[in-house]
């Protein structure tokens, strides 16, 4: 036995000190007070005015620091999302991390033909089935935008496609408040009642302000609605350094933080204690193409900083990773997937979405969703760290085997290898000869085959017929 | 001649102040205004365009050079109109109804102005009616429409159609992160461009 013992249960990763987080926080408060944010909603302006914010011309709201402080204090530190059948949950708190897919990709690579084509409602259903099956995918988003449905019904169809094909928690988008209300009506039918849904929510809305520093009317209406209804909401600023934010990374983080916290203030003024998930993504504008980037080292640094800020505030967090700017599943995709997913896990970025994305979110990929499940398995093994105890130090075993011996047939190996070793499904460890004899199998083929197999064989738990009929009436 | 080369060099460095000073100096020395424009400013901007295409210069630098070009042109304007020089063409540009994204569009505006186009920018979320009225009023050579989202790109077609039905005939170009040549064609546009630099070349082609 030792005294004063401390162990690391996982790798430790810290970008910033407390003092640096304070620097970011204070700069954010200055921006909110001196520059302010534009709020384009009358009700929100009323709430802010009554709370003591100064409103200058053109809806610019200057927030005093105490409002921000109070909002951070009253917002819950835990948001729980449940499986639709109650058989599991996602705890968004502290440095826990989970992974899930992403919303609204206009294109995908057809599993049969490899053709780059528009996504249809069927794709949203299939991506939900895939995610439902894969053990390391914890939540589901639409991965398509139902191009075969009328454009005014797209978001409702996305939700319907997902909720009928997985029991895992959902994250959805919707353009108008009217869509959001319909979706929550459907969710209430599925849970049995609005109260039941509120008690165990299985779906969360993803809403966003507009950079720099604007809260558009539609975005605010959704924010206020969810606050009042006490259903969880993600409010995720998306800043592109050099374009919609300063090109210096710290400044971009400060601005994103300002957008998040001002959203939180509005939300908490509507209803103190209502569930809110902090969700900004900070990236750079690519200066050769003027395009937004989905994977670059600057983003990984800035996103780590924002995760550390969320922890500093004790707020639940929505992260992003396992995605790439590459148009195809290639080396670039491999590199960008790995770096983004690993770093978000390391900084404990909560609900990490967009896995399976290619082409900066324009293309979803069945093969890459299967791939990322493998990647997450590897990451989780690393995050389990090194377990040190007498059994794992294995001094007895080392003595028994002795110099020149072998461990393969030792009881200790048989006992431990399955827990100690991560067993890959796709990372190929064949020797060269065997690989040649097998006909040089390519990873892309294995991933494609697996995706097809899952879609053929996996049957997610269905909703009861009467529920299906009722939600279809609401959504379709 | 020498001074025109100096003007080019200042422009390539994105030095707005220096370009302004040297253009004034050249004018005072009695240099031909058209020469200053072509051999000083345009020549410099051409080098910038080439370096951008080779990934040796990047957008913020290109925009700084465009601003320097603009500064030079402003000084030359009265002298050029005396000599009968006019803009290459007039472009009316807008982000379509329902879409508020404008970074790409704004870069296109700056690049077109640097290339001596007259540009009227209607801003973002511009209703079809307003676009039609503006085309009627401004009589542009080219109507340029921008949309970022897959849910707002469908506005290209009805907008272009409304302009045609009003009997107006500007050339049309569409742009945005998801815009493909096929989509542009389907929407009834005459052209599209994947980025702001190419957009200038395409627009030059449309007015030629």
């Amino acid at each position: 036995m030792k005294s004063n013992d401390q162990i690391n249960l996982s790798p430790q990763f810290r970008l910033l000190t407390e003092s640096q987080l304070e620097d970011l926080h204070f700069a954010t408060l200055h921006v909110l007070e001196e520059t302010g944010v534009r709020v384009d909603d009358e009700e929100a302006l009323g709430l802010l005015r009554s709370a003591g914010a100064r409103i200058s011309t053109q809806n610019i709201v200057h927030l005093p620091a105490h409002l921000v402080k109070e909002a951070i204090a009253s917002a819950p530190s835990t948001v729980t999302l449940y499986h639709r059948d109650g058989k599991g949950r996602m705890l968004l708190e502290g440095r826990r991390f989970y992974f899930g897919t992403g919303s609204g990709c206009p294109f995908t690579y057809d599993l049969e033909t490899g053709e780059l084509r528009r996504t249809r409602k069927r794709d949203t259903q299939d991506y939900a089935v895939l995610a439902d099956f894969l053990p390391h995918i914890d939540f589901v988003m639409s991965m398509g935008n139902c191009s075969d449905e009328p454009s005014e019904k797209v978001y409702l169809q996305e939700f319907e496609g997902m909720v009928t094909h997985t029991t895992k928690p959902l994250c959805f988008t919707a353009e108008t408040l009217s869509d959001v209300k319909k979706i929550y009506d459907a969710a209430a039918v599925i849970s049995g009642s609005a109260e039941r849904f509120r008690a165990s929510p299985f779906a969360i809305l993803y809403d966003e302000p507009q950079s720099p520093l604007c809260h558009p009317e539609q975005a605010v209406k959704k924010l206020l609605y969810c606050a009042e209804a006490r259903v969880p909401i993600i409010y995720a600023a998306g800043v592109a350094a050099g374009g919609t934010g300063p090109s210096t990374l710290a400044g971009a983080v400060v601005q994103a933080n300002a957008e998040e916290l001002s959203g939180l203030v509005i939300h908490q003024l509507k209803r103190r204690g209502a569930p809110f998930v902090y969700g900004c993504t900070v990236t750079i504008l690519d200066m050769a193409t003027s395009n937004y980037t989905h994977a670059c080292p600057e983003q990984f640094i800035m996103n780590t900083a924002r995760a550390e800020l969320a922890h500093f505030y004790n707020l639940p967090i929505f992260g992003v990773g396992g995605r790439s700017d590459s148009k195809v599943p290639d080396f670039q995709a491999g590199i960008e997937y790995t770096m983004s997913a690993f770093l978000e896990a390391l900084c404990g970025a909560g609900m990490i979405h967009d896995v399976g994305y290619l082409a900066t979110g324009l293309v979803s990929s069945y093969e890459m969703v299967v791939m990322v499940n493998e990647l997450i398995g590897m990451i989780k093994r690393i995050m389990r760290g090194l377990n040190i105890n007498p059994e794992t130090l294995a001094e007895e075993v080392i003595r028994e085997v002795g110099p020149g011996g072998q461990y393969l047939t030792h009881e200790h190996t048989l006992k431990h290898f399955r827990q100690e070793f991560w067993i890959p499904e796709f990372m190929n460890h064949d020797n060269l000869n065997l690989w040649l004899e097998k006909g040089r199998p390519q990873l892309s083929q294995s991933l494609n085959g697996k995706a097809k197999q899952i879609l053929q064989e996996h049957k997610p738990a269905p909703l009861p017929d009467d529920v299906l009929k009722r939600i279809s009436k609401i959504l379709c | 001649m020498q001074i025109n080369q100096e003007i080019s060099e200042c422009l390539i460095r994105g030095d707005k102040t220096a370009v302004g000073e040297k253009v004034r100096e050249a004018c005072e020395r009695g240099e031909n205004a058209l020469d200053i424009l072509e051999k000083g400013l345009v020549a410099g901007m051409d080098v910038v365009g080439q370096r951008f295409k080779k990934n040796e210069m990047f957008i913020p630098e290109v925009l700084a050079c465009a601003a320097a070009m603009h500064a030079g042109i402003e000084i030359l304007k009265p002298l050029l109109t005396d000599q009968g020089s006019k803009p290459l063409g007039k472009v009316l540009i807008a982000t379509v109804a329902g879409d508020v994204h404008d970074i790409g569009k704004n870069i296109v505006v700056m690049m077109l102005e640097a290339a001596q186009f007259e540009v009227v920018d209607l801003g973002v979320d511009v209703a079809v009616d307003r676009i039609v009225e503006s085309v009627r009023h401004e009589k542009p050579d080219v109507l340029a429409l921008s949309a970022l989202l897959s849910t707002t790109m469908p506005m290209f077609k009805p907008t272009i159609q409304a302009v045609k039905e009003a009997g107006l005939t500007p050339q049309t170009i569409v742009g945005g992160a998801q815009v493909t040549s096929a989509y542009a064609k389907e929407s009834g546009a005459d052209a599209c461009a994947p980025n702001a630099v190419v957009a200038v070349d395409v627009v030059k082609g449309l007015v030629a």
Side-chain angles (χ1 to χ4, degrees):
Chain A
M1 264 239 103
K2 291 190 250 177
S3 78
N4 294 312
D5 200 2
Q6 287 185 320
I7 61 174
N8 285 344
L9 289 174
S10 71
Q12 302 290 306
F13 176 67
R14 270 309 207 287
L15 182 67
L16 301 171
T17 61
E18 281 289 294
S19 167
Q20 287 175 301
L21 289 168
E22 279 175 359
D23 285 340
L24 293 175
H25 177 65
F26 289 134
T28 305
L29 293 179
H30 301 155
V31 166
L32 287 172
E33 173 107 54
E34 290 157 18
T35 302
V37 292
R38 201 178 78 206
V39 178
D40 291 329
D41 176 81
E42 285 308 314
E43 185 186 353
L45 287 170
L47 289 168
L48 291 160
R49 196 177 284 115
S50 306
R54 177 172 60 90
I55 301 178
S56 62
T57 56
Q58 294 178 331
N59 297 348
I60 305 289
V61 180
H62 300 267
L63 290 170
H66 77 87
L67 281 185
V68 179
K69 195 173 182 180
E70 284 155 20
I72 293 170
S74 63
S77 294
T78 303
V79 167
T80 310
L81 294 173
Y82 296 81
H83 284 216
R84 195 188 77 203
D85 58 9
K87 289 185 183 158
R89 62 182 190 169
M90 257 189 348
L91 274 177
L92 303 179
E93 70 180 12
R95 290 185 175 78
R96 293 177 189 274
F97 62 88
Y98 301 90
F99 285 92
T101 45
S103 58
C105 307
F107 300 99
T108 193
Y109 283 110
D110 189 278
L111 260 182
E112 296 298 327
T113 65
E115 176 207 350
L116 180 65
R117 60 162 176 81
R118 293 208 154 260
T119 46
R120 306 186 274 254
K121 184 169 175 184
R122 180 62 193 268
D123 293 301
T124 291
Q125 294 168 339
D126 285 346
Y127 275 107
V129 172
L130 201 59
D132 191 74
F133 176 83
L134 291 166
H136 297 305
I137 307 294
D138 302 300
F139 64 92
V140 177
M141 297 182 73
S142 70
M143 293 296 259
N145 63 9
C146 299
S147 67
D148 50 341
E149 298 289 334
S151 67
E152 67 277 4
K153 296 233 171 211
V154 153
Y155 298 105
L156 302 176
Q157 292 293 347
E158 283 179 32
F159 186 83
E160 207 259 359
M162 290 190 285
V163 80
T164 51
H165 288 76
T166 180
T167 52
K168 289 184 179 174
L170 307 179
C171 174
F172 66 95
T173 54
E175 192 180 341
T176 62
L177 183 58
S178 150
D179 279 351
V180 172
K181 286 179 179 173
K182 287 192 180 135
I183 288 169
Y184 280 124
D185 284 345
V189 168
I190 293 168
S191 291
S193 69
E195 289 71 44
R196 280 231 185 92
F197 176 79
R198 193 175 304 128
S200 312
F202 61 82
I204 183 168
L205 172 66
Y206 170 5
D207 187 11
E208 57 184 18
Q210 193 198 341
S211 302
L213 302 171
C214 293
H215 297 282
E217 189 178 11
Q218 281 297 336
V220 176
K221 284 191 161 20
K222 288 181 264 184
L223 188 61
L224 294 173
Y225 176 80
C226 292
E228 169 137 62
R230 271 178 293 127
V231 291
I233 184 171
I234 295 161
Y235 199 63
V239 175
T244 55
S247 66
T248 46
L249 307 189
V253 172
V254 164
Q255 191 196 288
N257 193 36
E259 292 168 15
E260 285 299 304
L261 293 181
S262 47
L264 178 64
V265 168
I266 294 169
H267 182 265
Q268 294 291 297
L269 282 176
K270 179 68 178 176
R271 193 162 205 140
R272 283 191 76 216
F276 179 99
V277 178
Y278 179 107
C280 55
T281 294
V282 203
T283 189
I284 66 170
L285 202 68
D286 178 88
M287 291 311 188
T289 61
S290 74
N291 287 337
Y292 197 77
T293 47
H294 264 196
C296 55
E298 301 80 12
Q299 179 182 157
F300 309 148
I301 296 170
M302 293 189 288
N303 280 351
T304 298
R306 66 90 165 93
E308 295 186 358
L309 277 169
H311 303 140
F312 181 70
Y313 300 136
N314 264 317
L315 290 172
I317 176 171
F318 182 64
V320 69
R323 63 181 194 171
S324 172
D325 296 305
S326 179
K327 321 302 169 241
V328 285
D330 64 357
F331 312 130
Q332 179 181 351
I335 290 169
E336 293 179 347
Y337 265 57
T338 300
M339 297 208 84
S340 57
F342 194 23
L343 284 162
E344 286 287 81
L346 276 174
C347 68
M351 223 173 136
I352 302 166
H353 80 298
D354 280 359
V355 304
Y357 262 18
L358 290 173
T360 320
L362 293 179
V363 180
S364 50
S365 165
Y366 290 97
E367 291 90 347
M368 291 308 281
V369 174
V370 177
M371 175 83 270
V372 83
N373 182 70
E374 177 95 338
L375 173 63
I376 296 165
M378 206 187 283
I379 289 171
K380 283 181 176 172
R381 180 59 190 94
I382 297 173
M383 298 305 282
R384 269 171 44 213
L386 189 72
N387 193 9
I388 302 177
N389 60 50
E391 182 74 7
T392 62
L393 287 170
E395 290 179 46
E396 267 291 300
V397 181
I398 295 170
R399 198 177 57 75
E400 279 167 27
V401 170
Q406 59 84 14
Y407 292 79
L408 207 46
T409 56
H410 197 291
E411 192 188 322
H412 183 268
T413 301
L414 183 63
K415 184 174 175 196
H416 290 292
F417 87 94
R418 275 187 181 270
Q419 280 81 258
E420 288 285 276
F421 298 2
W422 167 70
I423 314 267
E425 186 176 352
F426 295 102
M427 298 291 107
N428 187 298
H429 296 174
D430 286 340
N431 66 32
L432 180 61
N433 216 30
L434 184 58
W435 178 77
L436 288 169
E437 277 174 26
K438 281 182 180 174
R440 303 177 181 234
Q442 298 293 315
L443 179 56
S444 49
Q445 294 159 332
S446 324
L447 296 172
N448 180 280
K450 179 75 178 192
K452 282 175 180 152
Q453 186 196 357
I454 294 170
L455 290 178
Q456 217 152 7
E457 296 173 4
H458 180 61
K459 304 283 171 242
L463 284 167
D465 274 332
D466 63 308
V467 171
L468 278 174
K469 284 203 185 82
R470 288 170 66 195
I471 67 174
S472 180
K473 259 202 174 140
I474 300 171
L475 299 172
C476 300
Chain B
M1 256 330 271
Q2 173 70 356
I3 188 119
N4 285 334
Q5 200 168 328
E6 286 170 29
I7 289 169
S8 292
E9 280 163 20
C10 292
L11 188 148
I12 293 167
R13 277 197 330 258
D15 192 339
K16 191 164 72 165
T17 315
V19 166
E21 280 166 11
K22 291 212 182 274
V23 166
R24 261 187 215 98
E25 191 189 320
C27 292
E28 275 153 25
R29 287 219 213 136
E31 291 284 332
N32 179 276
L34 214 54
D35 275 351
I36 300 172
L37 177 66
E38 311 266 294
K39 294 173 187 164
L41 299 173
V42 174
M45 209 59 207
D46 280 346
V47 170
V48 171
Q50 281 157 34
R51 287 194 190 168
F52 176 76
K53 282 176 186 154
K54 285 194 280 178
N55 264 8
E56 286 167 19
M57 284 183 82
F58 299 95
I59 289 175
E61 292 153 346
V62 172
L63 294 176
C65 298
M69 171 108 182
H70 188 76
I73 289 181
E74 283 304 297
I75 297 169
L76 292 177
K77 242 188 198 155
L79 304 169
L80 288 171
T81 34
D82 286 347
Q83 293 188 32
S85 169
K86 29 185 193 103
L88 282 180
K90 187 176 195 178
V91 179
L92 182 74
I93 190 167
T95 295
V96 300
D99 200 322
V100 297
H101 296 93
D102 65 355
I103 280 192
K105 171 186 73 63
N106 293 347
I107 297 173
V108 171
V109 170
M110 291 174 90
M111 299 297 289
L112 284 173
E113 284 177 337
Q116 300 163 261
F117 281 92
E118 188 189 339
V119 182
V120 177
D121 184 356
L122 296 181
V124 298
D125 189 14
V126 187
V128 176
D129 299 346
R130 189 164 158 235
I131 292 177
V132 173
E133 272 322 294
S134 303
V135 171
R136 200 193 305 275
H137 180 72
E138 298 284 349
K139 301 184 179 46
D141 300 294
V142 177
L143 171 64
L145 300 173
S146 171
L148 179 70
L149 309 171
S150 56
T151 45
T152 53
M153 280 161 65
M155 286 313 295
F156 288 152
K157 198 168 184 175
T159 306
I160 292 171
Q161 199 147 348
V163 167
K164 285 200 175 117
E165 279 169 12
L168 304 162
T169 54
Q171 301 264 46
T172 52
I173 179 173
V174 295
Q178 302 184 49
V179 176
T180 58
S181 314
Y183 195 87
K185 201 169 179 185
E186 249 178 68
S187 307
D190 297 306
C192 73
N195 66 50
V197 174
V198 175
V200 172
D201 288 340
V202 174
V203 169
K204 279 183 180 168
L206 290 176
V207 300

